[in-house]
Amino acid sequence: MSARYSELTSLLRRAATLRSVGELLAWDQETMMPAKAARFRAEELAAIAELAHQRMTEPRIGELLAECEADLALVVDPVVAANLRDVRRDYERVRKLPPDLVAEMTRTSSLALEAWKAARAADDFSAFRPWLERQIALARRKAEAYGPPPGGEPYDALLEDYEPGMTAAQLEALFGPLRDRLRPLIAELAAGDGRPTALETLVVPQERQRELNRFVLSRLGFDLDAGRLDVSTHPFSSGIAPGDTRITTRYRDDGFLDSLGSTLHEAGHALYEQGLPKDDGLGLPLAEPASLGIHESQSRLWENQVGRSRAFWTWALSEARRILGAALDPFDLDDFDRAVNRVRPSLIRVESDEVTYNLHVLLRFDLERALVRGDLAPADLPGAWNDRLHADLGLRVPDDRRGCLQDIHWSMGAFGYFPTYTLGNLYAAQLWGAAREMLPDLEPSIARGDFSLLLGWLRREVHAHGRRFPAGELCRRISGRPLDHAPLIGYLKAKHARP
Ligand code: ZN
C-alpha cells in the first residue's frame, strides 16, 4: 500500500479515536454520571467535538486524498476506491459547515434539549415553541451550507447526514403506498379490547429479567467480553471503539417482555457494530455503518423478525421458564405469540407495536418536511399533529406531552432522522425475505436456539461491507430488488393472518 494512503488512514484513525472518546463520555452521561456533572460534561463533549472537527478538516487530508485519487495503482483496488470515494464525500461535506454554525448548533441543541424536557414535563408547547423555531432556522442554514442535490429540496441535504443518497421525493414514493396499505391492515388487526394480556404485565424480579437478557444476548452471538449491557431510561447502543460495544435496556417489575424486546433491539445494533471491520479499519468508511436505515434494519430484524416469531419462542419459552421461575407456569407458546404480536393503536411511538409503528414515523416525516419547507408554522404543529394521528390511528391526543412533545429529536435539531426508523423496518423485511430464501434451515435453527446461521449470513452480506455500497445498492445486491413496501406488508400480513 502506498505511503500516502497509509498516512491518510492514520490521520483518519486519529480523528476517529477522538470521536470514540466523545462516545465514551456520552455513554457515561446516559448511564453513570452524577446529575451535577451535566454542565461540565457539556464542556468536555464540546472540547472533544471541536478537536475531532479540526482533525477531520485538516488540509493535509485534502492533499493526501487528491494524491491518492490520482494514483492509478491504488484506485484499481475496489476496496481502496470505495474508501477514497467516501472519504472525499465526508471531507467535502464537513468543510461546508462554517465553524460558527457548528458551534451555534451545538450550543442551541444543549439548551433546547433542557427546554424541551421542562416543556414536556409541564405539557407546555408554548414554552418549547421558540426553541423549535430556532432549531428550524438553524436546520435551514445547515441545509443551505450543504446545498441540496440538483433538483432537490433543503430537506434532502439534512437527510444526507443520516441516510446518504436518499431524498424526500424518494421517501414520499416509498411511504405513500406503505401508509395506504397499513391503514386498512391496522383497522383489521386492531380488533378486541386492546388491553394488555396477563403475560405482558406479569411481575418478575428485575434481577431475573437481567439474567434472561444476558443469557439471550450471549446466545445471539453478542460478545460480552467486547461489550456491556447496562441500564438507562431510553435504551440505546454505542459502538464506542474496537472491542467496546455497549448497549442499555430498561426494567420494570411488570415489563419483562418490554425489557427483553429492548435488549433484542439494541443487540441488533450492537451485533452490527461488532461485525464491522474496525480493528484494522477504524476511521475508514468501510469500517462504518452503511446508513442509519441499515443500522435500524439490524435492530428491527432481531427485535421483530426474530424476537416476535414463533420459532424464537419455541426455543426461548423453556429458557425463560428456567430463568424466570414458576411465574411463567400458566402460560404456553400461544400466550407468548399473542402477547408479543398484539396490535393496538397508541399515542406514543416508542411503545407502539410493529404494525402501527410506521404510521407514527410517517406522520413525523411529513410534518418535519413541512416545517423545514415553511409550509407548516411551528405554532400550528400541535393541531397538525393531532389531526394526523386521528386520521391515521383513530385516537384523540389528550395533551401535547403525549403528542408533538413526546420525542427528543427536534429539540436536538435532528431533522431528517425519523425516516430512518421506517427505512429500517423496510430494509429488515427485505433482508429477512432474502435470508429465508437463501437459508432453508433459518427458522428451524432459530427454534433450536442456534442463531449462528442468521448472524453468519448478516456478517457476510451486511456487516463486513461497512459503507462499501450505498444503502439502496446494498439492499438490491442482497435481495435482488430495490427497496419497496411489499416485503414489509407481506411479512406483516403473513404473520398476523389468523386461521
Ligand atoms: Zn434502533
Side-chain angles (χ1 to χ4, degrees):
M1 204 54 66
S2 85
R4 290 191 191 89
Y5 189 67
S6 300
E7 189 186 345
L8 179 64
T9 55
S10 75
L11 285 180
L12 294 167
R13 192 178 178 93
R14 265 165 37 107
T17 302
L18 273 181
R19 290 200 299 275
S20 101
V21 174
E23 288 283 319
L24 186 56
L25 287 173
W27 172 85
D28 176 75
Q29 181 166 10
E30 295 292 317
T31 52
M32 299 286 166
M33 187 188 79
K36 288 183 179 171
R39 287 177 78 133
F40 190 66
R41 180 55 47 90
E43 284 182 46
E44 291 170 323
L45 283 167
I48 293 286
E50 196 185 329
L51 279 175
H53 187 262
Q54 267 172 27
R55 286 192 175 182
M56 284 186 289
T57 52
E58 262 181 66
R60 182 71 185 144
I61 291 181
E63 289 164 23
L64 289 165
L65 191 51
E67 289 170 11
C68 289
E69 286 165 339
D71 183 344
L72 294 180
L74 202 53
V75 296
V76 74
D77 180 334
V79 170
V80 173
N83 269 324
L84 291 174
R85 174 200 68 201
D86 278 12
V87 173
R88 167 64 69 192
R89 173 206 174 269
D90 296 350
Y91 184 68
E92 297 300 336
R93 200 166 158 75
V94 75
R95 282 160 52 95
K96 280 182 181 163
L97 290 185
D100 64 321
L101 178 59
V102 175
E104 196 178 338
M105 289 192 302
T106 310
R107 235 185 348 263
T108 304
S109 290
S110 101
L111 296 171
L113 180 63
E114 295 308 313
W116 166 74
K117 284 183 193 164
R120 187 174 73 153
D123 184 30
D124 182 1
F125 177 75
S126 64
F128 178 59
R129 202 184 76 200
W131 292 101
L132 179 63
E133 285 164 354
R134 283 178 69 174
Q135 286 292 31
I136 293 166
L138 283 170
R140 287 195 189 126
R141 279 177 61 196
K142 182 166 88 162
E144 200 175 311
Y146 281 146
E153 60 187 72
Y155 186 87
D156 297 340
L158 304 174
L159 196 55
E160 184 74 13
D161 272 346
Y162 311 109
E163 195 69 16
M166 184 61 78
T167 66
Q170 286 173 307
L171 287 176
E172 195 182 321
L174 268 172
F175 289 175
L178 178 64
R179 183 174 176 227
D180 291 344
R181 283 159 183 79
L182 283 174
R183 290 171 63 180
L185 185 61
I186 290 163
E188 188 189 320
L189 296 176
D193 64 7
R195 279 185 311 193
T197 63
L199 188 56
E200 286 167 87
T201 54
L202 188 71
V203 171
V204 177
Q206 294 188 10
E207 194 41 47
R208 298 274 179 88
Q209 296 185 35
R210 202 180 81 96
E211 200 184 323
L212 177 63
N213 288 341
R214 287 180 66 85
F215 174 74
V216 171
L217 258 187
S218 61
R219 282 296 285 262
L220 296 189
F222 179 74
D223 181 358
L224 278 158
D225 291 328
R228 294 182 54 89
L229 172 66
D230 293 281
V231 180
S232 67
T233 320
H234 300 287
F236 70 98
S237 77
S238 184
I240 294 173
D244 192 357
T245 300
R246 306 188 187 193
I247 66 173
T248 66
T249 189
R250 59 185 170 204
Y251 293 101
R252 245 183 22 239
D253 288 342
D254 63 348
F256 83 96
L257 283 172
D258 174 73
S259 181
L260 180 62
S262 291
T263 304
L264 286 168
H265 179 99
E266 302 307 336
H269 284 301
L271 290 168
Y272 188 18
E273 290 287 337
Q274 287 189 337
L276 292 168
K278 290 186 203 182
D279 283 332
D280 302 322
L282 184 72
L284 289 173
L286 266 57
E288 288 169 359
S291 74
L292 281 193
I294 295 293
H295 224 306
E296 191 70 4
S297 78
Q298 300 303 291
S299 59
R300 288 284 161 179
L301 190 141
W302 288 99
E303 178 191 6
N304 292 334
Q305 273 81 5
V306 175
R308 296 182 202 265
S309 72
R310 208 168 165 90
F312 176 80
W313 284 103
T314 300
W315 164 74
L317 179 53
S318 60
E319 301 295 347
R321 282 215 172 98
R322 178 175 63 79
I323 294 169
L324 302 182
L328 288 189
D329 285 352
F331 303 100
D332 64 14
L333 188 55
D334 286 335
D335 294 319
F336 275 84
D337 201 355
R338 259 194 302 275
V340 297
N341 288 304
R342 196 164 51 88
V343 177
R344 180 188 51 157
S346 62
L347 297 168
I348 308 293
R349 175 182 60 87
V350 296
E351 293 171 3
S352 61
D353 58 79
E354 70 176 322
V355 187
T356 57
Y357 183 88
N358 295 296
L359 290 183
H360 288 274
V361 175
L362 270 41
L363 171 158
R364 287 154 178 76
F365 163 61
D366 285 332
L367 295 185
E368 70 177 10
R369 188 183 182 197
L371 287 168
V372 171
R373 278 179 164 177
D375 293 345
L376 175 65
D380 297 330
L381 176 64
W385 181 291
N386 299 351
D387 289 348
R388 173 71 177 261
L389 198 89
H390 186 253
D392 277 3
L393 291 172
L395 299 174
R396 296 271 177 215
V397 180
D399 46 48
D400 294 331
R401 200 164 48 85
R402 284 173 282 182
C404 67
L405 285 177
Q406 68 181 266
D407 295 302
I408 195 170
H409 305 62
W410 292 336
S411 77
M412 298 165 70
F415 295 91
Y417 192 112
F418 280 120
T420 66
Y421 292 130
T422 284
L423 288 173
N425 286 327
L426 293 168
Y427 285 131
Q430 204 146 326
L431 293 176
W432 181 250
R436 286 184 65 188
E437 266 177 37
M438 286 184 231
L439 309 170
D441 194 41
L442 177 62
E443 275 149 333
S445 71
I446 291 173
R448 296 192 301 271
D450 175 3
F451 302 96
S452 61
L453 187 64
L454 177 59
L455 181 58
W457 185 83
L458 290 170
R459 289 266 192 261
R460 278 193 311 279
E461 300 288 338
V462 181
H463 305 178
H465 298 304
R467 274 165 72 185
R468 177 162 177 191
F469 307 108
E473 191 185 329
L474 184 67
C475 173
R476 202 167 33 238
R477 284 176 63 93
I478 299 169
S479 68
R481 53 193 285 189
L483 187 64
D484 178 53
H485 65 269
L488 177 61
I489 294 293
Y491 155 78
L492 292 173
K493 281 190 170 168
K495 178 198 267 192
H496 290 278
R498 295 280 175 235

